């Protein structure tokens, strides 16, 4: 036996639904699973979840008795955002009670915030599902600022889209550092690419800050130290969404801008502290072919960086614990 961890699951009592079924949080058919679910796999390579594998839940162990893939329409972020995705339905039983976990194959938004699922077509029962397809770290992501974001430079505040290689940008750890590369990408801003809008003052930002969903902000203070033993941590914006001061904002299109230094840095984005592009596997997947060639010429180890991120990075199931409290004007790095 081998083991794996499944993330961002939605629990539904009873067997898997059928095409045409509508499930909702309000109707009691859906419950977010905030903690990772550990699984014991018969596949010793730990690559596949198959019928007969065991999921370890706080209430006891359950066995996987059926796997299906559905196309589905979802509403998430309190119902303010929608997307069409594919879901794996993992039906389990403890020998008496049957229930189902729904897991995304293509990540759209913050999956634990789903409030409705409309099941469409299904491929029928499956023998196996790749674990990689269920891991929220294996999704193509963009880590960047929306055009218009003011960045602190040696010349003062400058819109991110006007920055060029060689410009000296303020960094938390190393003072003013020259940019090595700047890249921009215009995408349809719905579903997984819908920006996250952060209200003024939430993290010390002077105005509204708009970033890509996986762009990581620096947070810290007593909660970070108490819960994770770290003074400062990097947290993806999508996992800080609270529906009040931090919201997903789907729109027709958005231009995202990447900033790359000699090493991963924390920069000042209109008063909030957030990351530059980290040249790891996520960056390698997110860049266009032309951009990847440009960056690889500067950083031959693109996708396999030798240096760690500027700060420890939290997973989604951990990051929700550091969402800002329900007050206005939280200072940067004190949430």
């Amino acid at each position: 036996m081998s083991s794996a961890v499944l993330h961002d699951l939605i629990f539904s009592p009873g067997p898997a639904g059928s095409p045409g079924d509508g499930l909702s949080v309000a109707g009691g058919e859906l419950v977010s699973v905030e903690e990772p679910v550990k699984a014991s796999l018969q596949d010793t390579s730990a690559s596949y979840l198959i019928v007969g594998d065991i999921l370890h839940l706080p209430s006891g162990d359950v066995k996987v008795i059926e796997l299906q893939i559905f196309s589905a329409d979802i509403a998430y972020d309190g119902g303010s955002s929608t997307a069409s995705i594919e879901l794996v339905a993992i039906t389990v039983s403890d020998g008496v009670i049957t229930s189902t976990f729904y897991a995304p194959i293509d990540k759209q938004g913050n999956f634990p915030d789903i409030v409705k699922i409309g099941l469409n077509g299904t491929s029928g029962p499956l023998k196996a599902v790749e674990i990689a397809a269920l891991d929220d770290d294996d999704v193509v992501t963009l880590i960047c600022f929306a055009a218009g974001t003011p960045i602190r430079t040696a010349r003062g505040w400058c819109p991110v889209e006007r920055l060029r290689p060689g410009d000296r940008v303020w960094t938390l750890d190393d003072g003013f550092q020259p940019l090595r590369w700047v890249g921009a990408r215009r995408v349809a801003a719905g579903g997984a690419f819908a920006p996250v809008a952060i209200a003024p003052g939430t993290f010390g930002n002077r105005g509204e800050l708009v970033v890509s969903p996986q762009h990581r902000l620096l947070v810290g203070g007593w909660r970070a130290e108490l819960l994770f033993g770290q003074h400062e941590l990097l947290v993806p914006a999508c996992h800080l969404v609270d529906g009040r001061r931090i919201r997903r904002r789907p729109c027709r299109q958005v231009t995202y801008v990447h900033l790359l230094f000699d090493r991963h840095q924390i920069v000042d984005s209109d008063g909030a502290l957030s990351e530059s592009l980290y040249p790891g596997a996520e960056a390698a997947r997110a860049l266009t072919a032309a951009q990847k060639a440009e960056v690889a010429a500067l950083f031959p180890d693109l996708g396999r960086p030798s240096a760690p991120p500027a700060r420890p990075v939290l997973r989604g199931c951990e990051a929700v614990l550091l969402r800002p409290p329900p007050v206005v004007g939280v200072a940067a790095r004190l949430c």
Side-chain angles (χ1 to χ4, degrees), residues 48-86:
Y48 291 92
L49 181 73
I50 65 175
V51 172
D53 288 344
I54 304 298
L55 303 188
H56 304 289
L57 309 177
S59 58
D61 292 351
V62 294
K63 180 180 288 188
V64 177
I65 61 173
E66 187 178 49
L67 296 167
Q68 296 183 71
I69 291 182
F70 287 92
S71 59
D73 295 320
I74 63 169
Y76 61 98
D77 189 14
S80 62
S81 302
T82 61
S84 296
I85 69 171
E86 287 190 318

mmCIF file of all heavy atoms in Angstrom, residues 48-86:
data_model
loop_
_atom_site.group_PDB
_atom_site.id
_atom_site.type_symbol
_atom_site.label_atom_id
_atom_site.label_comp_id
_atom_site.label_asym_id
_atom_site.label_seq_id
_atom_site.Cartn_x
_atom_site.Cartn_y
_atom_site.Cartn_z
ATOM 1 N N TYR A 48 -2.409 6.594 -8.786
ATOM 2 C CA TYR A 48 -3.827 6.457 -9.118
ATOM 3 C C TYR A 48 -4.663 6.135 -7.881
ATOM 4 O O TYR A 48 -4.233 5.394 -6.987
ATOM 5 C CB TYR A 48 -4.031 5.344 -10.148
ATOM 6 C CG TYR A 48 -3.482 5.672 -11.513
ATOM 7 C CD1 TYR A 48 -2.183 5.302 -11.858
ATOM 8 C CD2 TYR A 48 -4.239 6.372 -12.447
ATOM 9 C CE1 TYR A 48 -1.660 5.610 -13.110
ATOM 10 C CE2 TYR A 48 -3.729 6.689 -13.691
ATOM 11 C CZ TYR A 48 -2.444 6.305 -14.020
ATOM 12 O OH TYR A 48 -1.931 6.617 -15.259
ATOM 13 N N LEU A 49 -5.861 6.698 -7.869
ATOM 14 C CA LEU A 49 -6.900 6.312 -6.926
ATOM 15 C C LEU A 49 -7.786 5.301 -7.636
ATOM 16 O O LEU A 49 -8.251 5.560 -8.753
ATOM 17 C CB LEU A 49 -7.718 7.533 -6.509
ATOM 18 C CG LEU A 49 -8.844 7.294 -5.500
ATOM 19 C CD1 LEU A 49 -8.275 7.046 -4.109
ATOM 20 C CD2 LEU A 49 -9.797 8.506 -5.475
ATOM 21 N N ILE A 50 -8.029 4.139 -7.033
ATOM 22 C CA ILE A 50 -8.835 3.115 -7.674
ATOM 23 C C ILE A 50 -9.904 2.612 -6.703
ATOM 24 O O ILE A 50 -9.843 2.873 -5.491
ATOM 25 C CB ILE A 50 -7.973 1.921 -8.166
ATOM 26 C CG1 ILE A 50 -7.345 1.180 -6.984
ATOM 27 C CG2 ILE A 50 -6.901 2.406 -9.128
ATOM 28 C CD1 ILE A 50 -6.593 -0.076 -7.404
ATOM 29 N N VAL A 51 -10.884 1.899 -7.249
ATOM 30 C CA VAL A 51 -11.918 1.289 -6.423
ATOM 31 C C VAL A 51 -11.256 0.309 -5.450
ATOM 32 O O VAL A 51 -10.402 -0.489 -5.843
ATOM 33 C CB VAL A 51 -12.968 0.572 -7.292
ATOM 34 C CG1 VAL A 51 -13.928 -0.237 -6.416
ATOM 35 C CG2 VAL A 51 -13.735 1.595 -8.127
ATOM 36 N N GLY A 52 -11.639 0.403 -4.189
ATOM 37 C CA GLY A 52 -11.038 -0.434 -3.152
ATOM 38 C C GLY A 52 -10.061 0.301 -2.272
ATOM 39 O O GLY A 52 -9.701 -0.192 -1.192
ATOM 40 N N ASP A 53 -9.591 1.478 -2.711
ATOM 41 C CA ASP A 53 -8.713 2.280 -1.858
ATOM 42 C C ASP A 53 -9.473 2.791 -0.633
ATOM 43 O O ASP A 53 -10.707 2.855 -0.624
ATOM 44 C CB ASP A 53 -8.143 3.461 -2.650
ATOM 45 C CG ASP A 53 -7.097 3.027 -3.669
ATOM 46 O OD1 ASP A 53 -6.603 1.882 -3.558
ATOM 47 O OD2 ASP A 53 -6.781 3.819 -4.572
ATOM 48 N N ILE A 54 -8.726 3.176 0.394
ATOM 49 C CA ILE A 54 -9.307 3.578 1.671
ATOM 50 C C ILE A 54 -9.051 5.066 1.932
ATOM 51 O O ILE A 54 -7.913 5.544 1.776
ATOM 52 C CB ILE A 54 -8.725 2.761 2.836
ATOM 53 C CG1 ILE A 54 -8.922 1.257 2.599
ATOM 54 C CG2 ILE A 54 -9.353 3.176 4.162
ATOM 55 C CD1 ILE A 54 -10.365 0.820 2.523
ATOM 56 N N LEU A 55 -10.096 5.809 2.296
ATOM 57 C CA LEU A 55 -9.964 7.194 2.740
ATOM 58 C C LEU A 55 -10.096 7.216 4.257
ATOM 59 O O LEU A 55 -10.998 6.578 4.830
ATOM 60 C CB LEU A 55 -11.041 8.079 2.120
ATOM 61 C CG LEU A 55 -11.134 8.125 0.588
ATOM 62 C CD1 LEU A 55 -12.126 9.206 0.159
ATOM 63 C CD2 LEU A 55 -9.780 8.346 -0.057
ATOM 64 N N HIS A 56 -9.200 7.954 4.895
ATOM 65 C CA HIS A 56 -9.179 8.021 6.358
ATOM 66 C C HIS A 56 -9.843 9.332 6.802
ATOM 67 O O HIS A 56 -9.278 10.419 6.636
ATOM 68 C CB HIS A 56 -7.745 7.935 6.866
ATOM 69 C CG HIS A 56 -7.017 6.711 6.390
ATOM 70 N ND1 HIS A 56 -7.307 5.437 6.840
ATOM 71 C CD2 HIS A 56 -6.038 6.569 5.461
ATOM 72 C CE1 HIS A 56 -6.522 4.563 6.233
ATOM 73 N NE2 HIS A 56 -5.740 5.223 5.390
ATOM 74 N N LEU A 57 -11.036 9.229 7.357
ATOM 75 C CA LEU A 57 -11.809 10.380 7.800
ATOM 76 C C LEU A 57 -11.820 10.458 9.323
ATOM 77 O O LEU A 57 -11.584 9.435 9.996
ATOM 78 C CB LEU A 57 -13.253 10.281 7.289
ATOM 79 C CG LEU A 57 -13.433 10.026 5.791
ATOM 80 C CD1 LEU A 57 -14.910 9.894 5.478
ATOM 81 C CD2 LEU A 57 -12.786 11.128 4.973
ATOM 82 N N PRO A 58 -12.077 11.644 9.896
ATOM 83 C CA PRO A 58 -12.165 11.741 11.358
ATOM 84 C C PRO A 58 -13.193 10.779 11.955
ATOM 85 O O PRO A 58 -13.024 10.294 13.077
ATOM 86 C CB PRO A 58 -12.571 13.206 11.579
ATOM 87 C CG PRO A 58 -12.045 13.920 10.382
ATOM 88 C CD PRO A 58 -12.198 12.958 9.246
ATOM 89 N N SER A 59 -14.247 10.480 11.190
ATOM 90 C CA SER A 59 -15.301 9.590 11.685
ATOM 91 C C SER A 59 -14.976 8.113 11.489
ATOM 92 O O SER A 59 -15.713 7.236 11.955
ATOM 93 C CB SER A 59 -16.618 9.910 10.973
ATOM 94 O OG SER A 59 -16.471 9.768 9.562
ATOM 95 N N GLY A 60 -13.883 7.815 10.793
ATOM 96 C CA GLY A 60 -13.506 6.431 10.531
ATOM 97 C C GLY A 60 -13.115 6.223 9.085
ATOM 98 O O GLY A 60 -13.247 7.123 8.249
ATOM 99 N N ASP A 61 -12.651 5.038 8.773
ATOM 100 C CA ASP A 61 -12.209 4.726 7.422
ATOM 101 C C ASP A 61 -13.389 4.351 6.529
ATOM 102 O O ASP A 61 -14.361 3.733 6.991
ATOM 103 C CB ASP A 61 -11.217 3.562 7.444
ATOM 104 C CG ASP A 61 -9.900 3.938 8.108
ATOM 105 O OD1 ASP A 61 -9.704 5.136 8.387
ATOM 106 O OD2 ASP A 61 -9.086 3.033 8.345
ATOM 107 N N VAL A 62 -13.292 4.737 5.255
ATOM 108 C CA VAL A 62 -14.294 4.365 4.259
ATOM 109 C C VAL A 62 -13.576 3.832 3.029
ATOM 110 O O VAL A 62 -12.428 4.194 2.754
ATOM 111 C CB VAL A 62 -15.196 5.555 3.879
ATOM 112 C CG1 VAL A 62 -16.053 5.995 5.056
ATOM 113 C CG2 VAL A 62 -14.364 6.730 3.357
ATOM 114 N N LYS A 63 -14.268 2.961 2.279
ATOM 115 C CA LYS A 63 -13.682 2.360 1.082
ATOM 116 C C LYS A 63 -14.293 2.985 -0.170
ATOM 117 O O LYS A 63 -15.497 3.235 -0.232
ATOM 118 C CB LYS A 63 -13.932 0.852 1.077
ATOM 119 C CG LYS A 63 -13.347 0.127 -0.143
ATOM 120 C CD LYS A 63 -13.627 -1.363 -0.108
ATOM 121 C CE LYS A 63 -12.792 -2.038 0.957
ATOM 122 N NZ LYS A 63 -12.919 -3.526 0.882
ATOM 123 N N VAL A 64 -13.440 3.243 -1.170
ATOM 124 C CA VAL A 64 -13.910 3.748 -2.458
ATOM 125 C C VAL A 64 -14.627 2.614 -3.178
ATOM 126 O O VAL A 64 -14.049 1.545 -3.418
ATOM 127 C CB VAL A 64 -12.739 4.264 -3.314
ATOM 128 C CG1 VAL A 64 -13.247 4.722 -4.681
ATOM 129 C CG2 VAL A 64 -12.015 5.409 -2.606
ATOM 130 N N ILE A 65 -15.916 2.833 -3.525
ATOM 131 C CA ILE A 65 -16.687 1.786 -4.201
ATOM 132 C C ILE A 65 -17.037 2.153 -5.640
ATOM 133 O O ILE A 65 -17.455 1.291 -6.409
ATOM 134 C CB ILE A 65 -17.963 1.436 -3.413
ATOM 135 C CG1 ILE A 65 -18.884 2.649 -3.284
ATOM 136 C CG2 ILE A 65 -17.607 0.879 -2.036
ATOM 137 C CD1 ILE A 65 -20.245 2.320 -2.659
ATOM 138 N N GLU A 66 -16.869 3.433 -6.021
ATOM 139 C CA GLU A 66 -17.144 3.832 -7.402
ATOM 140 C C GLU A 66 -16.452 5.152 -7.710
ATOM 141 O O GLU A 66 -16.332 6.026 -6.838
ATOM 142 C CB GLU A 66 -18.651 3.975 -7.651
ATOM 143 C CG GLU A 66 -18.998 4.217 -9.122
ATOM 144 C CD GLU A 66 -20.495 4.310 -9.363
ATOM 145 O OE1 GLU A 66 -21.171 5.070 -8.631
ATOM 146 O OE2 GLU A 66 -20.988 3.629 -10.274
ATOM 147 N N LEU A 67 -15.999 5.308 -8.945
ATOM 148 C CA LEU A 67 -15.401 6.547 -9.439
ATOM 149 C C LEU A 67 -16.099 6.941 -10.736
ATOM 150 O O LEU A 67 -16.325 6.100 -11.604
ATOM 151 C CB LEU A 67 -13.902 6.358 -9.706
ATOM 152 C CG LEU A 67 -13.013 6.044 -8.501
ATOM 153 C CD1 LEU A 67 -11.643 5.570 -8.963
ATOM 154 C CD2 LEU A 67 -12.875 7.278 -7.605
ATOM 155 N N GLN A 68 -16.447 8.226 -10.856
ATOM 156 C CA GLN A 68 -17.040 8.749 -12.081
ATOM 157 C C GLN A 68 -16.485 10.135 -12.350
ATOM 158 O O GLN A 68 -16.036 10.825 -11.437
ATOM 159 C CB GLN A 68 -18.559 8.865 -11.967
ATOM 160 C CG GLN A 68 -19.312 7.578 -11.779
ATOM 161 C CD GLN A 68 -20.809 7.832 -11.751
ATOM 162 O OE1 GLN A 68 -21.424 8.152 -12.767
ATOM 163 N NE2 GLN A 68 -21.406 7.709 -10.568
ATOM 164 N N ILE A 69 -16.540 10.548 -13.616
ATOM 165 C CA ILE A 69 -16.218 11.925 -13.971
ATOM 166 C C ILE A 69 -17.476 12.583 -14.534
ATOM 167 O O ILE A 69 -18.138 12.025 -15.414
ATOM 168 C CB ILE A 69 -15.070 12.004 -14.992
ATOM 169 C CG1 ILE A 69 -13.756 11.563 -14.343
ATOM 170 C CG2 ILE A 69 -14.934 13.430 -15.529
ATOM 171 C CD1 ILE A 69 -12.564 11.649 -15.266
ATOM 172 N N PHE A 70 -17.818 13.752 -14.017
ATOM 173 C CA PHE A 70 -18.958 14.537 -14.481
ATOM 174 C C PHE A 70 -18.477 15.851 -15.081
ATOM 175 O O PHE A 70 -17.519 16.455 -14.576
ATOM 176 C CB PHE A 70 -19.898 14.885 -13.328
ATOM 177 C CG PHE A 70 -20.729 13.754 -12.806
ATOM 178 C CD1 PHE A 70 -20.279 12.976 -11.756
ATOM 179 C CD2 PHE A 70 -21.976 13.473 -13.354
ATOM 180 C CE1 PHE A 70 -21.046 11.939 -11.257
ATOM 181 C CE2 PHE A 70 -22.749 12.436 -12.863
ATOM 182 C CZ PHE A 70 -22.291 11.666 -11.814
ATOM 183 N N SER A 71 -19.139 16.313 -16.121
ATOM 184 C CA SER A 71 -19.060 17.728 -16.462
ATOM 185 C C SER A 71 -20.087 18.429 -15.572
ATOM 186 O O SER A 71 -21.139 17.863 -15.266
ATOM 187 C CB SER A 71 -19.367 17.958 -17.941
ATOM 188 O OG SER A 71 -20.666 17.481 -18.262
ATOM 189 N N ALA A 72 -19.783 19.624 -15.131
ATOM 190 C CA ALA A 72 -20.657 20.272 -14.155
ATOM 191 C C ALA A 72 -20.580 21.780 -14.284
ATOM 192 O O ALA A 72 -19.562 22.345 -14.716
ATOM 193 C CB ALA A 72 -20.279 19.859 -12.738
ATOM 194 N N ASP A 73 -21.663 22.439 -13.915
ATOM 195 C CA ASP A 73 -21.693 23.888 -13.763
ATOM 196 C C ASP A 73 -21.687 24.168 -12.264
ATOM 197 O O ASP A 73 -22.451 23.563 -11.504
ATOM 198 C CB ASP A 73 -22.952 24.486 -14.389
ATOM 199 C CG ASP A 73 -22.991 24.286 -15.899
ATOM 200 O OD1 ASP A 73 -21.927 24.420 -16.532
ATOM 201 O OD2 ASP A 73 -24.073 23.989 -16.429
ATOM 202 N N ILE A 74 -20.814 25.082 -11.831
ATOM 203 C CA ILE A 74 -20.720 25.376 -10.407
ATOM 204 C C ILE A 74 -20.920 26.872 -10.158
ATOM 205 O O ILE A 74 -20.682 27.710 -11.029
ATOM 206 C CB ILE A 74 -19.360 24.951 -9.817
ATOM 207 C CG1 ILE A 74 -18.199 25.747 -10.452
ATOM 208 C CG2 ILE A 74 -19.134 23.462 -9.979
ATOM 209 C CD1 ILE A 74 -16.871 25.581 -9.740
ATOM 210 N N ALA A 75 -21.375 27.182 -8.962
ATOM 211 C CA ALA A 75 -21.384 28.547 -8.436
ATOM 212 C C ALA A 75 -20.513 28.538 -7.197
ATOM 213 O O ALA A 75 -20.636 27.650 -6.353
ATOM 214 C CB ALA A 75 -22.803 28.994 -8.094
ATOM 215 N N TYR A 76 -19.594 29.501 -7.103
ATOM 216 C CA TYR A 76 -18.678 29.536 -5.970
ATOM 217 C C TYR A 76 -18.492 30.977 -5.507
ATOM 218 O O TYR A 76 -19.104 31.904 -6.030
ATOM 219 C CB TYR A 76 -17.338 28.882 -6.316
ATOM 220 C CG TYR A 76 -16.576 29.541 -7.440
ATOM 221 C CD1 TYR A 76 -15.552 30.437 -7.194
ATOM 222 C CD2 TYR A 76 -16.872 29.245 -8.766
ATOM 223 C CE1 TYR A 76 -14.839 31.020 -8.209
ATOM 224 C CE2 TYR A 76 -16.166 29.830 -9.803
ATOM 225 C CZ TYR A 76 -15.146 30.710 -9.518
ATOM 226 O OH TYR A 76 -14.452 31.303 -10.542
ATOM 227 N N ASP A 77 -17.646 31.142 -4.473
ATOM 228 C CA ASP A 77 -17.418 32.458 -3.881
ATOM 229 C C ASP A 77 -18.749 33.066 -3.442
ATOM 230 O O ASP A 77 -19.077 34.205 -3.765
ATOM 231 C CB ASP A 77 -16.694 33.372 -4.861
ATOM 232 C CG ASP A 77 -16.235 34.692 -4.217
ATOM 233 O OD1 ASP A 77 -16.241 34.763 -2.974
ATOM 234 O OD2 ASP A 77 -15.885 35.623 -4.960
ATOM 235 N N GLY A 78 -19.535 32.285 -2.677
ATOM 236 C CA GLY A 78 -20.813 32.771 -2.181
ATOM 237 C C GLY A 78 -21.880 32.888 -3.246
ATOM 238 O O GLY A 78 -22.927 33.486 -3.018
ATOM 239 N N GLY A 79 -21.636 32.322 -4.426
ATOM 240 C CA GLY A 79 -22.612 32.389 -5.513
ATOM 241 C C GLY A 79 -22.377 33.521 -6.479
ATOM 242 O O GLY A 79 -23.097 33.666 -7.463
ATOM 243 N N SER A 80 -21.314 34.336 -6.246
ATOM 244 C CA SER A 80 -21.067 35.490 -7.104
ATOM 245 C C SER A 80 -20.298 35.126 -8.372
ATOM 246 O O SER A 80 -20.214 35.927 -9.295
ATOM 247 C CB SER A 80 -20.295 36.565 -6.335
ATOM 248 O OG SER A 80 -19.021 36.084 -5.928
ATOM 249 N N SER A 81 -19.706 33.922 -8.426
ATOM 250 C CA SER A 81 -18.929 33.494 -9.587
ATOM 251 C C SER A 81 -19.427 32.136 -10.049
ATOM 252 O O SER A 81 -19.875 31.317 -9.247
ATOM 253 C CB SER A 81 -17.441 33.410 -9.230
ATOM 254 O OG SER A 81 -16.964 34.665 -8.772
ATOM 255 N N THR A 82 -19.329 31.894 -11.355
ATOM 256 C CA THR A 82 -19.741 30.616 -11.919
ATOM 257 C C THR A 82 -18.677 30.097 -12.873
ATOM 258 O O THR A 82 -17.852 30.859 -13.376
ATOM 259 C CB THR A 82 -21.082 30.738 -12.664
ATOM 260 O OG1 THR A 82 -20.929 31.680 -13.737
ATOM 261 C CG2 THR A 82 -22.200 31.190 -11.736
ATOM 262 N N ALA A 83 -18.706 28.796 -13.128
ATOM 263 C CA ALA A 83 -17.762 28.193 -14.066
ATOM 264 C C ALA A 83 -18.287 26.830 -14.490
ATOM 265 O O ALA A 83 -19.126 26.224 -13.816
ATOM 266 C CB ALA A 83 -16.384 28.051 -13.429
ATOM 267 N N SER A 84 -17.795 26.348 -15.614
ATOM 268 C CA SER A 84 -18.068 24.991 -16.070
ATOM 269 C C SER A 84 -16.788 24.190 -15.929
ATOM 270 O O SER A 84 -15.734 24.603 -16.438
ATOM 271 C CB SER A 84 -18.531 24.995 -17.527
ATOM 272 O OG SER A 84 -19.771 25.677 -17.666
ATOM 273 N N ILE A 85 -16.854 23.069 -15.223
ATOM 274 C CA ILE A 85 -15.647 22.301 -14.927
ATOM 275 C C ILE A 85 -15.948 20.806 -15.052
ATOM 276 O O ILE A 85 -17.055 20.398 -15.355
ATOM 277 C CB ILE A 85 -15.120 22.604 -13.513
ATOM 278 C CG1 ILE A 85 -16.080 22.053 -12.450
ATOM 279 C CG2 ILE A 85 -14.894 24.083 -13.307
ATOM 280 C CD1 ILE A 85 -15.513 22.128 -11.046
ATOM 281 N N GLU A 86 -14.914 20.003 -14.798
ATOM 282 C CA GLU A 86 -15.076 18.567 -14.660
ATOM 283 C C GLU A 86 -14.832 18.177 -13.208
ATOM 284 O O GLU A 86 -13.929 18.717 -12.548
ATOM 285 C CB GLU A 86 -14.102 17.810 -15.561
ATOM 286 C CG GLU A 86 -14.478 17.875 -17.037
ATOM 287 C CD GLU A 86 -13.630 16.923 -17.868
ATOM 288 O OE1 GLU A 86 -12.413 16.853 -17.612
ATOM 289 O OE2 GLU A 86 -14.181 16.264 -18.764
#
